[in-house]
Amino acid sequence: MRLIIAETGTPPSALPGDWPSYPQMFAAMFERAKLDFDIETINVIQGALVPEPQRGVGLLVTGSPKGVYEDHAFIAPLEAAVRDYAEAGCPVVGICFGHQLIARAYGAEVAKSERGWGVGVHTYEIVGETPWQGGPSRFACAVSHQDQVLSLPEGFRRVAGSAFTPYGALAHDSLPLLSFQMHPEFDHDFAAALMQLRADRIPADRVDLGQATLRNTSDRAQMAHWIGDFIKNGGR
């Protein structure tokens, strides 16, 4: 199946080490899960437009250091593309910034949270009907965000959340839309390096706890299957 990845951000240039792009991280995530996608990356931050929806094509929107409420030229066309794909029956998945952009495209409020930075491995409780069959009642994965979805977008249900991130995972009741605030594409080494780079703006105790949680395993492999199967099955 063909998968369009809308690239909305890049790993910070100041980050020590040689890291893959976010679309490459997703490609590696799906490869580890043995999910075969014909991936095309569209660099929307450089002005490229997501192609018109076609049968059998999915759309994934990556994370980004930008805010969905900021004045960037690519945001309105990308929100329109999300709605076009979903309404054409093409599955759409959003991760972090992508999660927030999908929610905002359907009327939700998105802003910097008064709770501050979310870093390290966070756990979400399943609180609503999931698009996948079975699975645990909670799952854990790396996060890195200040912004949050603050209200439920029209037509959506809350799938999972936590006290820190109530709207942690969302799905639409009738359209093929699924989104997560978490980063299943991040390996823990990358999440640790990113957190350390931002340590000057995150409280030290939160950095220390976040780094400690990254020594544990997470459910990112399971999330890869949930996301991949959602796309493969046309959002069903």
Side-chain angles (χ1 to χ4, degrees), residues 2 7 17 26 35 48 70 74 93 95 103 123 136-137 142 165 182 185 193 198 206 211 217 231 235:
R2 187 167 166 233
E7 185 177 16
F26 280 107
L35 291 159
E70 295 171 349
F74 75 90
V93 172
I95 299 296
T123 298
S137 60
T165 310
M182 292 171 153
E185 79 281 14
R198 294 170 171 166
R206 190 162 293 190
Q211 295 285 16
T217 59
I231 296 168

Side-chain angles (χ1 to χ4, degrees), residues 13-225:
S13 59
L15 198 64
D18 184 19
W19 302 100
S21 69
Y22 296 140
Q24 288 169 335
M25 291 182 190
F26 280 107
M29 179 187 85
F30 289 131
E31 184 176 357
R32 286 191 299 272
K34 302 188 184 313
L35 291 159
D36 184 25
F37 289 110
D38 176 16
I39 293 174
E40 179 183 358
T41 296
I42 304 296
N43 192 331
V44 296
I45 51 177
Q46 295 296 325
L49 296 175
V50 173
E52 294 294 316
Q54 299 177 30
R55 188 178 182 84
V57 178
L59 175 64
L60 186 150
V61 183
T62 72
S64 174
K66 303 182 188 305
V68 299
Y69 46 77
E70 295 171 349
D71 185 19
H72 300 291
F74 75 90
I75 288 179
L78 185 55
E79 288 181 344
V82 163
R83 291 189 292 265
D84 288 346
Y85 269 68
E87 288 158 23
C90 299
V92 182
V93 172
I95 299 296
C96 196
F97 174 93
H99 165 75
Q100 297 157 12
L101 182 131
I102 289 173
R104 188 172 182 271
Y106 285 87
E109 179 187 0
V110 179
K112 278 187 169 54
S113 171
E114 62 183 13
R115 299 179 179 91
W117 277 93
V119 291
V121 171
H122 282 204
T123 298
Y124 290 170
E125 301 287 336
I126 300 292
V127 295
E129 181 184 355
T130 66
W132 54 88
Q133 297 298 315
S137 60
R138 62 179 61 88
F139 59 98
C141 186
V143 302
S144 183
H145 65 98
Q146 294 183 87
D147 295 348
Q148 291 201 33
V149 176
L150 300 182
S151 63
L152 191 65
E154 184 177 355
F156 283 74
R157 67 185 180 276
R158 215 162 54 101
V159 171
S162 67
F164 186 86
T165 310
Y167 298 101
L170 301 172
H172 198 278
D173 288 331
S174 58
L175 297 173
L177 289 155
L178 174 65
S179 63
F180 296 91
Q181 182 60 67
M182 292 171 153
H183 279 286
E185 79 281 14
F186 284 7
D187 66 34
H188 287 196
D189 287 345
F190 179 79
L194 190 61
M195 194 189 319
Q196 194 57 48
L197 179 67
R198 294 170 171 166
D200 61 339
R201 66 192 96 159
I202 307 172
D205 58 345
R206 190 162 293 190
V207 171
D208 290 345
L209 178 59
Q211 295 285 16
T213 64
L214 290 170
R215 300 187 193 111
N216 302 322
T217 59
S218 74
D219 298 303
R220 58 192 294 258
Q222 180 64 69
M223 291 180 67
H225 282 285

